[in-house]
C-alpha cells in the first residue's frame, strides 16, 4: 500500500517541466496519499505476533498478499484518470493494468493528453519491471 502510493505519485516528478498541467496534480496526489495513509494504518493496526510459523498458512497469506497488491495497484493506478475525468472507469482500469503489466497498450491519445497522464503508464512500467522480472526475462525479451 505504501509502495503503490509512492508509485502513483511518481508522475508528479514531471511537474516542474509541465507547469501548465499542474491542475491535474491533485488527481495523482489524492489517491497516492489515500494509499499511503491506508498502508500506514494497516501497518499500525495489523501488527500481530507471528511467533508460531506455519509453512502452509504462510504460503496462503503470501498468495493473498500478492493478489491483493495487484488489485490495489490497479485500482489506485486507475483513480487519477477517473478523478481528472480523462477516462471512464473501465478505460482507466485498462490503462492501469496496461501500465503495471508493461503490455504497452493504451486507450489514450498521447498527442492530446496532458503530460501527467501520458507519462504515468510508462513510469509504472519502468518502476515495476526491474523488481519482478529476472535477468533471463530480460535476455529473452531483448
Amino acid at each position: 500500500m505504501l509502495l503503490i502510493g509512492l508509485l502513483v505519485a511518481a508522475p508528479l516528478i514531471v511537474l516542474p517541466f509541465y507547469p501548465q498541467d499542474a491542475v491535474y496534480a491533485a488527481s495523482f496526489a489524492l489517491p497516492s496519499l489515500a494509499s499511503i495513509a491506508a498502508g500506514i494504518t494497516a501497518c499500525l493496526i495489523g501488527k500481530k505476533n507471528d511467533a508460531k510459523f506455519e509453512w502452509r498458512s504462510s504460503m496462503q497469506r503470501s498468495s493473498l498478499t500478492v493478489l491483493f497488491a495487484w488489485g490495489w495497484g490497479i485500482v489506485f493506478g486507475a483513480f487519477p484518470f477517473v478523478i481528472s475525468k480523462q477516462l471512464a472507469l473501465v478505460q482507466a482500469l485498462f490503462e492501469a493494468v496496461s501500465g503495471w503489466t508493461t503490455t504497452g497498450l493504451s486507450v489514450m491519445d498521447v498527442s492530446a493528453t496532458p503530460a501527467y497522464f501520458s507519462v504515468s503508464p510508462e513510469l509504472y512500467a519502468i518502476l515495476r519491471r526491474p523488481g519482478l522480472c529476472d535477468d533471463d526475462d530480460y535476455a529473452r525479451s531483448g
Side-chain angles (χ1 to χ4, degrees):
M1 292 173 164
L2 295 170
L3 180 60
I4 297 296
L6 293 173
L7 292 176
V8 168
L12 295 175
I13 295 169
V14 301
L15 180 61
F17 306 106
Y18 298 97
Q20 70 275 13
D21 292 337
V23 296
Y24 300 112
S27 300
F28 288 91
L30 293 174
S32 174
L33 292 173
S35 183
I36 291 170
I40 291 171
T41 303
C43 285
L44 294 175
I45 293 174
K47 289 276 184 192
K48 289 195 236 176
N49 184 4
D50 284 336
K52 186 176 137 182
F53 178 78
E54 293 182 27
W55 182 79
R56 183 178 301 230
S57 71
S58 175
M59 287 296 291
Q60 290 169 345
R61 273 188 283 164
S62 297
S63 298
L64 289 174
T65 300
V66 170
L67 180 65
F68 176 77
W70 274 102
W72 188 269
I74 289 167
V75 169
F76 274 80
F79 278 156
F81 300 103
V82 175
I83 291 171
S84 65
K85 298 183 175 142
Q86 293 290 317
L87 296 174
L89 179 62
V90 173
Q91 293 172 322
L93 288 170
F94 178 87
E95 196 70 30
V97 169
S98 177
W100 289 116
T101 60
T102 67
T103 59
L105 299 173
S106 180
V107 294
M108 300 185 75
D109 178 13
V110 293
S111 63
T113 303
Y116 287 144
F117 299 98
S118 61
V119 78
S120 67
E122 288 83 3
L123 273 175
Y124 294 159
I126 290 168
L127 294 171
R128 176 215 156 273
R129 187 169 173 106
L132 298 178
C133 295
D134 61 9
D135 292 334
D136 293 335
D137 288 338
Y138 284 86
R140 284 189 292 256
S141 67

